[in-house]
Amino acid sequence: RYPICGMLFPVVLKFQKNAEDREEVRRICEKYGAYKDLYTGVGDGPNDKTLEDKFFEEEVKMLGLSFEQQFHFGVFYAFVKLKEQENRNIVWIAECIAQKNKNKVDNYIPIF
């Protein structure tokens, strides 16, 4: 089942359900400005970012915006999610060091 909310519902989800590969999904999503930016810089090369990395970067941006308003509980949620991202960054750096792949240490998702 697909979600019944968001900018992609209902028209785009019908097309994505029948998509065969990543490029087809990219063509469908590039028609919407918010998703077009997510696909820029995504590739399969060694220095390219993955789509998952782009989603994490977008999430960090949105969570950071929650600190600009006052008197709501979203700040606590954002704090916890940013701590999770910080833990993912630490694990990434530790894995790069353990695998002696220090040239990729800087490929973590920066927070603020």
Side-chain angles (χ1 to χ4, degrees):
R1 285 201 48 126
Y2 291 98
I4 56 172
C5 62
M7 291 187 286
L8 299 179
F9 179 77
V11 177
V12 177
L13 290 178
K14 290 179 186 174
F15 292 119
Q16 283 185 340
K17 189 172 16 174
N18 299 323
E20 295 292 325
D21 61 353
R22 191 179 344 172
E23 287 303 315
E24 239 178 297
V25 174
R26 174 183 275 191
R27 280 194 304 273
I28 293 168
C29 289
E30 281 184 343
K31 296 176 185 173
Y32 296 87
Y35 297 103
K36 184 177 185 177
D37 295 337
L38 287 175
Y39 279 99
T40 57
V42 173
D44 293 330
N47 294 329
D48 293 335
K49 292 190 179 267
T50 64
L51 186 58
E52 184 180 25
D53 290 340
K54 297 294 272 188
F55 275 119
F56 282 139
E57 286 176 357
E58 187 65 25
E59 181 182 28
V60 167
K61 282 184 209 172
M62 290 190 309
L63 292 170
L65 291 175
S66 72
F67 291 101
E68 294 182 4
Q69 297 178 0
Q70 300 178 15
F71 305 115
H72 62 87
F73 291 110
V75 175
F76 299 109
Y77 176 80
F79 177 78
V80 171
K81 296 303 277 184
L82 288 171
K83 278 297 189 184
E84 287 177 7
Q85 182 60 48
E86 185 179 18
N87 290 340
R88 281 193 290 267
N89 288 343
I90 292 169
V91 168
W92 171 261
I93 292 168
E95 287 291 326
C96 288
I97 292 170
Q99 295 174 10
K100 296 183 179 16
N101 199 356
K102 293 183 181 177
N103 58 343
K104 290 191 175 187
V105 168
D106 294 330
N107 290 353
Y108 62 89
I109 310 297
I111 298 174
F112 302 120

